[in-house]
């Protein structure tokens, strides 16, 4: 919420998120897949351990991001 209030554009992916998230955070952009969440993004913050994220290597993620900024709070990315 504080990122949105500061003017950041936040794109999120969660396979179980519902449209109520959009009602609560209307500026939030929901991505249709983990990979599409990376496209044209400056950073990746992983806060859940969905299998979709563990399928990426660090190099694949860096190739999709505009800047190589990765915060993996669940330690799911392969080295």
């Amino acid at each position: 919420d504080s990122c949105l209030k500061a003017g950041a554009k936040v794109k999120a992916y969660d396979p179980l998120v519902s449209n109520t998230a959009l009602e609560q955070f209307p500026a939030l952009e929901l991505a249709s897949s983990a990979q599409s969440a990376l496209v044209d993004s400056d950073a990746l913050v992983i806060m859940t351990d969905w299998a979709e994220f563990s399928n990426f290597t660090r190099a694949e993620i860096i190739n999709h991001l505009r800047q190589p900024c990765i915060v993996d709070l669940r330690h799911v990315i392969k080295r």
Side-chain angles (χ1 to χ4, degrees), residues 10-48:
V10 178
K11 188 181 338 179
Y13 171 72
D14 186 327
L16 297 181
V17 76
S18 66
N19 286 336
T20 58
L22 290 176
E23 293 170 8
Q24 194 170 11
F25 302 103
L28 182 68
E29 177 186 342
L30 290 180
S32 60
S33 68
Q35 185 168 357
S36 68
L38 297 173
V39 177
D40 293 327
S41 294
D42 293 318
L44 169 66
V45 178
I46 297 179
M47 299 172 62
T48 62

Side-chain angles (χ1 to χ4, degrees), residues 46-49 72-77:
I46 297 179
M47 299 172 62
T48 62
D49 56 357
D72 182 5
L73 299 173
R74 305 301 293 177
H75 306 286
V76 297
I77 298 173

Side-chain angles (χ1 to χ4, degrees), residues 56-64 70-72 77-79:
F56 293 117
T57 64
R58 192 171 290 283
E60 289 171 321
I61 293 169
I62 288 171
N63 285 336
H64 282 89
I70 302 169
V71 180
D72 182 5
I77 298 173
K78 300 173 204 162
R79 297 237 176 238

